[in-house]
């Protein structure tokens, strides 16, 4: 279990943006915790066709004691820590949420999201070891979230430069460290289109390298 956690911690440390946090945990959470349903829910995230918000309805932050515990204490909890099995079913009758566990993702002293786990009916309840592992995982998620949200970003509204809206999108992804192929995949354009766009952007900004372009755009934002 320790080896598993260290592998996940390393994966979290290497992600470049918030969406990649889910990808870093895919196929790992279910196996380690023995859950049939899990998800990361970011409180200020707006679901889109490109982002699959795997929120678990039974772990709604406002509708049951488990969610309230996490909100109030910024600490992980499972239903048996707070309720009897009979009382829990008053809040959730779903058989695929027979047992639930939720942990906080905290940034700058406030709750910005949760990591939610659920086991189907017939599976054992979560125990102290599960809670300790979730707590460790949430610490690393919170630290990574803080790092990602303090990175300087290229603000579209504040920039005064010759780049188009599409070019600004590309610049933002370049600033996140994505390759041309990764940028093309995210924006649904070819790798060559990204390459040609970067050439135009370099000419407009009178730069010759990606890092120089990002630095110049961030200088424009500050000024």
């Amino acid at each position: 279990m320790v080896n598993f956690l260290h592998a996940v911690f390393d994966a979290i440390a290497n992600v470049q943006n918030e969406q990649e946090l889910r990808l870093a945990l895919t196929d790992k959470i279910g196996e380690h915790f023995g859950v049939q349903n899990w998800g990361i829910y970011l409180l200020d995230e707006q679901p889109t066709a490109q982002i699959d918000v795997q929120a678990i309805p039974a772990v709604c932050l406002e509708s049951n004691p488990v969610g309230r515990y996490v909100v109030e204490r910024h600490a992980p909890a499972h239903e048996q820590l707070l309720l009897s099995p009979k009382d829990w079913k008053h809040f959730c009758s779903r058989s695929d949420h027979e047992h639930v566990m939720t942990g906080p993702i905290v940034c700058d002293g406030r709750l910005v999201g949760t990591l939610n786990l659920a086991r189907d009916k017939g599976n054992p309840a979560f125990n102290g070891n599960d809670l300790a592992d979730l707590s460790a995982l949430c610490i690393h998620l919170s630290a990574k979230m803080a790092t990602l949200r303090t990175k300087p970003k290229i603000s579209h509204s504040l920039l005064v430069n010759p780049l188009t809206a599409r070019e600004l999108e590309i610049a933002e992804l370049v600033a996140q460290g994505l390759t041309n192929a990764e940028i093309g995949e995210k924006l649904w354009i070819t790798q060559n289109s990204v390459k040609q766009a970067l050439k135009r952007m370099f000419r407009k900004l009178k730069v010759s390298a990606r890092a120089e372009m990002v630095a110049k755009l961030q200088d424009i934002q500050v000024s």
Side-chain angles (χ1 to χ4, degrees):
M1 286 191 179
V2 173
N3 289 337
F4 162 82
L5 288 175
H6 287 173
V8 175
F9 297 160
D10 288 341
I12 292 172
N14 290 323
V15 303
Q16 298 296 320
N17 55 63
E18 294 179 18
Q19 287 71 39
E20 288 183 7
L21 286 176
R22 294 187 184 87
L23 298 177
L25 300 177
T26 299
D27 299 329
K28 298 179 177 69
I29 293 294
E31 180 180 356
H32 180 73
F33 288 100
V35 297
Q36 291 70 50
N37 300 280
W38 73 273
I40 292 176
Y41 175 54
L42 299 179
L43 302 183
D44 57 357
E45 182 179 72
Q46 297 299 317
T48 69
Q50 290 76 36
I51 303 174
D52 178 19
V53 180
Q54 297 173 294
I56 298 177
V59 195
C60 172
L61 295 180
E62 299 178 355
S63 66
N64 69 70
V66 178
R68 286 200 298 272
Y69 183 97
V70 174
V71 170
E72 292 170 0
R73 294 172 174 80
H74 292 184
H78 54 70
E79 89 284 350
Q80 292 203 354
L81 186 68
L82 306 171
L83 302 165
S84 70
K86 182 178 179 180
D87 288 337
W88 165 243
K89 300 316 291 182
H90 289 159
F91 292 96
C92 180
S93 59
R94 292 178 53 169
S95 61
D96 60 341
H97 291 78
E98 185 73 9
H99 302 291
V100 299
M101 184 168 64
T102 303
I105 301 174
V106 178
C107 182
D108 294 330
R110 67 184 182 91
L111 188 75
V112 298
T114 55
L115 175 56
N116 309 311
L117 313 173
R119 287 175 177 166
D120 290 351
K121 188 173 184 178
N123 288 281
F126 293 104
N127 58 32
N129 287 333
D130 294 322
L131 203 63
D133 286 354
L134 179 62
S135 180
L137 195 54
C138 286
I139 288 172
H140 282 261
L141 285 171
S142 297
K144 187 63 182 183
M145 187 68 70
T147 299
L148 292 173
R149 294 195 173 189
T150 55
K151 280 185 176 180
K153 292 187 175 181
I154 298 170
S155 172
H156 294 204
S157 60
L158 295 178
L159 290 178
V160 179
N161 61 54
L163 299 189
T164 66
R166 177 58 114 186
E167 288 169 345
L168 286 170
E169 284 186 284
I170 293 173
E172 179 65 53
L173 295 174
V174 169
Q176 294 176 15
L178 274 65
T179 65
N180 288 359
E182 291 168 334
I183 293 172
E185 183 178 352
K186 284 186 175 293
L187 298 181
W188 294 86
I189 58 178
T190 66
Q191 184 174 346
N192 186 60
S193 295
V194 177
K195 182 178 179 180
Q196 296 305 317
L198 285 172
K199 287 182 178 180
R200 292 194 303 272
M201 294 158 68
F202 286 179
R203 286 197 300 270
K204 289 179 180 180
L205 295 172
K206 298 180 181 179
V207 298
S208 58
R210 297 160 79 95
E212 187 181 0
M213 178 187 72
V214 171
K216 186 164 186 176
L217 290 171
Q218 289 171 353
D219 287 343
I220 293 173
Q221 177 182 346
V222 172
S223 60

